[in-house]
Amino acid sequence: MEPFHPREWQGHLFGTVEKNLEDRNVIALEAPTGSGKTSFILYLSFMSGKKLIYVTRTHNEFTRLYEDNIKYFDLPVIYLYGKSTLCPLKERWYDSDEESQKNVCKGCILKDKIMDIDMHIKMPPDDYYNKIISLSIENIRNDINNNLIKRDSKGNLIQTGNGNITAYCPYYSVRSSMKNATVVAMTYNYLLNPSIRFNIFHGTEGEESMDINDYYIIFDEAHNIDSVIENFGRSISEKTVNGSINELVDTFPLEEYKCHERIGANLLLEKLEKDIEGTKSGDDLKLFRFSDDVKSRLGDINYIQIFSEKFQAINDNRPIKERRRNYLETVYNFLYDAQRLENGDIYSQKFYPERGDPYKRLRIMYYNTSEYLKFLKNKPVLFMSGTMPSADHISKIWNFENMLYIRVNDIFYNTGGVKKYSIVKGFSTLGRYRDNTEIWSDILKKYMEFIIKTYSNSINSVLVAVPSYKILYGDHDKRIPGIADYLPDELRPFSVFENKKLTYSLIIKKALSDKLIIFSVHGGRLLEGIQITKNNRSLISDVIIAGLPLMPLDDYRKNKIKYLEKTLSGENIYSLLYYEYALIKIKQAAGRSTRSPDDVANIYLCDDRFDSKYWRDNLLNN
């Protein structure tokens, strides 16, 4: 473990931040990427002795916390993952949706079997948890071989004698260790979603609860909060509704269930399926309204609940390998929430799975972020990011009026390296040409020419950020090309493209040996957490912002702006949501290039719209 030497800003701001948190105030801390926000928070805990709840957008962002902790502080840390990730008995899961499988632990003998979790681990959290899952699986096999446990006729594990079994549940082992950790790391949904928060902090029967008031609450990459909360609502697809109809017909045939409830449930589901099939769903979110046929039958959703509960009882008695997803419960929960919806609306959209054809789905989308943040009032909370939303945004959209807002770069010069922004003219917006393949292709070719030229002149790797996956990959079904189609073959070995299977470790390994072109998408995983460094210096020297990443002004965005303007008595919400969204995405991408105060990077803004007062004031003149 190395001694920690606070940087200038960390030492000077320590007392101010600690005092305000002790006074239970809200703090917004904007410090450039690479300036040491994570180490500052750990330093705060180390020196004050205060426990932390450290909240991130994704599990990938646990890596920074882990690396800084083992390097300098060695605080006991627990990294919270979900049941579906940590369960060693994958056969109990018929899909990975934890929300639809509340009873997955019911009857499992491992639930109460826990092991001590090493909170001073010397390997990345993902690797460590894979290790304890593998060990649990190995112990299960040994216990079966030693006749301590066996499988019953349904496939459940049961204990066969009085001997002590060695198998354990990794998930509940992690949960039981949380109360003893100095730092509890979790993703946003565990803290911001009310039902999940209640479960985590109040625990199950016999489990000691955690008091949230005992912790400093730290939101890392806090610019993501709005988008995470927007997506808390339930969703259903045409496949889900069709599955619920089949479930009803197959499990409860009319020949055996000649009752008003059975007919009512069937009619409602059929009308709902027809509504979804009739929507003109596209890539954008489109406001959805139930037909009069569905509205007239929404009072019958309790019939769906009745058969959902019957199905679950049947499901629980099936052998594990024959259990199926309860589609009826999914549809019931969606309709229940939809009937009580106040802070949002229902929207339709096409969904593109990794495998298979796209399908239509309905999503409950929320407007008012502050409803999910009000539990943080009068608690010690620190929101931090390299690209924090503005003070106006936090005050009006999040409803935290009395807060300490600290911009580190305004106080201490060059805390996160130097970014040299420049506007590259001659690039028209792609959006207006999405239906004109010829012009679309010409613009993409021009982008690729600039990318190749920049790469040939760059000192280190080049990061390219585009507004959408469609621009990156195109749409092969519609024969629309993407930037990837114009990459020369000789550069493909030195290029990586963002996708769900791409790992940080693979990119870092390649970047340490070769100069790369890294193609990414605004809002994607790479631009949120990638750190490519050698000797604490960034291995990205140039960033190309290929197009202005404005949020799509679809029905949802327009209605959210109207809702908040009405709620906030005519405040100008448009700029707080529309332009600020893009500004944060651009700064987030640019921040990948500076990981230390000594880094210098070129940031190329390739879109003619950047040549306006707003963008010059916020990027070039800062």
Side-chain angles (χ1 to χ4, degrees), residues 321-375:
K321 293 183 179 179
E322 296 178 17
R323 292 175 188 172
R324 304 196 302 268
R325 179 174 180 176
N326 189 340
Y327 287 106
L328 289 163
E329 181 183 45
T330 302
V331 175
Y332 169 78
N333 287 337
F334 178 87
L335 293 176
Y336 180 90
D337 284 0
Q339 283 189 302
R340 288 154 182 79
L341 186 58
E342 295 179 356
N343 169 29
D345 255 312
I346 303 171
Y347 291 85
S348 63
Q349 187 181 37
K350 266 190 179 178
F351 178 70
Y352 297 87
E354 281 192 69
R355 295 183 178 86
D357 297 327
Y359 53 83
K360 299 172 184 177
R361 67 173 175 176
L362 304 182
R363 301 173 61 190
I364 293 175
M365 300 287 293
Y366 293 114
Y367 298 141
N368 192 349
T369 304
S370 66
E371 286 295 307
Y372 286 86
L373 298 174
K374 62 186 180 182
F375 79 97

Side-chain angles (χ1 to χ4, degrees), residues 171-216:
Y171 173 74
Y172 281 102
S173 295
V174 170
R175 283 281 300 272
S176 68
S177 299
M178 288 169 59
K179 59 183 176 292
N180 299 319
T182 298
V183 182
V184 180
M186 61 182 66
T187 52
Y188 285 158
N189 57 312
Y190 288 103
L191 189 64
L192 294 181
N193 190 307
S195 59
I196 300 176
R197 181 173 69 248
F198 181 86
N199 180 39
I200 292 297
F201 288 96
H202 290 79
T204 55
E205 184 178 354
E207 184 181 353
E208 184 179 332
S209 63
M210 297 170 58
D211 187 349
I212 197 171
N213 293 296
D214 292 340
Y215 297 80
Y216 288 162

Side-chain angles (χ1 to χ4, degrees), residues 487-488 491-497 510 515-519:
L487 180 69
L491 289 180
R492 290 192 179 276
F494 307 101
S495 302
V496 293
F497 289 83
K510 286 175 70 71
K515 187 172 74 168
L516 303 178
I517 307 176
I518 303 167
F519 291 90

Side-chain angles (χ1 to χ4, degrees), residues 7 69 173 181 233 333 343 349 370 377 448 455 476 499 572 589:
R7 299 183 186 182
N69 186 49
S173 295
N333 287 337
N343 169 29
Q349 187 181 37
S370 66
K377 298 279 184 165
M448 184 55 72
Y455 176 72
H476 293 290
N499 60 67
N572 182 17

Side-chain angles (χ1 to χ4, degrees), residues 185-373:
M186 61 182 66
T187 52
Y188 285 158
N189 57 312
Y190 288 103
L191 189 64
L192 294 181
N193 190 307
S195 59
I196 300 176
R197 181 173 69 248
F198 181 86
N199 180 39
I200 292 297
F201 288 96
H202 290 79
T204 55
E205 184 178 354
E207 184 181 353
E208 184 179 332
S209 63
M210 297 170 58
D211 187 349
I212 197 171
N213 293 296
D214 292 340
Y215 297 80
Y216 288 162
I217 302 170
I218 313 297
F219 286 88
D220 193 12
E221 305 295 353
H223 60 276
N224 290 304
I225 285 176
D226 291 288
S227 61
V228 169
I229 291 175
E230 286 172 359
N231 291 289
F232 273 168
R234 300 181 192 274
S235 67
I236 55 170
S237 70
E238 51 189 333
K239 289 186 176 182
T240 306
V241 180
N242 183 258
S244 67
I245 293 172
N246 292 335
E247 215 160 64
L248 194 64
V249 171
D250 294 342
T251 313
F252 310 104
L254 275 173
E255 294 80 11
E256 298 178 31
Y257 293 87
K258 297 178 181 179
C259 58
H260 178 70
E261 292 85 352
R262 170 64 177 78
I263 296 170
N266 213 124
L267 285 172
L268 174 53
L269 291 171
E270 288 177 351
K271 298 295 184 184
L272 178 60
E273 182 181 40
K274 187 176 179 181
D275 271 14
I276 299 177
E277 288 176 349
T279 62
K280 296 180 179 179
S281 301
D283 294 341
D284 293 341
L285 290 160
K286 185 177 179 60
L287 184 65
F288 174 86
R289 290 284 183 256
F290 291 123
S291 66
D292 290 340
D293 281 347
V294 171
K295 286 179 185 175
S296 66
R297 296 187 178 279
L298 282 176
D300 295 340
I301 67 166
N302 60 307
Y303 299 159
I304 298 177
Q305 182 186 27
I306 289 169
F307 288 99
S308 167
E309 291 174 351
K310 289 179 181 292
F311 178 86
Q312 192 59 52
I314 293 170
N315 218 25
D316 289 343
N317 284 314
R318 286 182 174 131
I320 285 177
K321 293 183 179 179
E322 296 178 17
R323 292 175 188 172
R324 304 196 302 268
R325 179 174 180 176
N326 189 340
Y327 287 106
L328 289 163
E329 181 183 45
T330 302
V331 175
Y332 169 78
N333 287 337
F334 178 87
L335 293 176
Y336 180 90
D337 284 0
Q339 283 189 302
R340 288 154 182 79
L341 186 58
E342 295 179 356
N343 169 29
D345 255 312
I346 303 171
Y347 291 85
S348 63
Q349 187 181 37
K350 266 190 179 178
F351 178 70
Y352 297 87
E354 281 192 69
R355 295 183 178 86
D357 297 327
Y359 53 83
K360 299 172 184 177
R361 67 173 175 176
L362 304 182
R363 301 173 61 190
I364 293 175
M365 300 287 293
Y366 293 114
Y367 298 141
N368 192 349
T369 304
S370 66
E371 286 295 307
Y372 286 86
L373 298 174

Side-chain angles (χ1 to χ4, degrees), residues 52-70:
L52 306 178
I53 294 172
Y54 191 92
V55 196
T56 66
R57 181 192 178 197
T58 67
H59 294 128
N60 292 323
E61 290 153 36
F62 289 170
T63 302
R64 288 197 298 270
L65 180 70
Y66 161 75
E67 289 175 347
D68 282 356
N69 186 49
I70 62 165

